[in-house]
Amino acid sequence: MSTATRTITITDPVGIHARPASQFAQAAAVSGCTVTLSKDPKTAGVNASSILSVMGLGIKQGDEVTITVDGDDADKVADSLADTISKAE
């Protein structure tokens, strides 16, 4: 089992609203890994497979978020999730 992290700056003008939060949470849930998402490096991340937890972070344009993945193929899953959140609209 391995761990991978990715830090992404959110570029969408409206941040992470319902649709991208749902897309990201679904991708995290089916990954088979334990995935957390955090907005502030000083606080614990939230369960990324929960749309309410993801939306609860209040992520806005310009915010940096960190995705942490624990499990098999963590690097591959982290890359895929980073791509999902950076392309979400």
Side-chain angles (χ1 to χ4, degrees):
M1 189 151 99
S2 59
T3 300
T5 60
R6 302 291 182 272
T7 302
I8 291 96
T9 301
I10 302 304
T11 58
D12 190 306
V14 293
I16 301 301
H17 52 89
R19 188 173 334 154
S22 173
Q23 292 169 346
F24 182 76
Q26 287 175 351
V30 300
S31 72
C33 295
T34 301
V35 183
T36 58
L37 182 68
S38 59
K39 185 169 112 172
D40 180 354
K42 298 178 196 120
T43 59
V46 300
N47 178 354
S49 61
S50 165
I51 184 174
L52 294 177
S53 295
V54 172
M55 289 185 65
L57 290 173
I59 300 168
K60 297 177 177 31
Q61 181 182 32
D63 286 345
E64 273 195 353
V65 295
T66 301
I67 302 164
T68 304
V69 180
D70 291 312
D72 296 332
D73 293 326
D75 278 311
K76 183 178 172 184
V77 171
D79 288 340
S80 176
L81 290 172
D83 191 51
T84 299
I85 204 167
S86 64
K87 291 183 178 176
E89 296 181 352

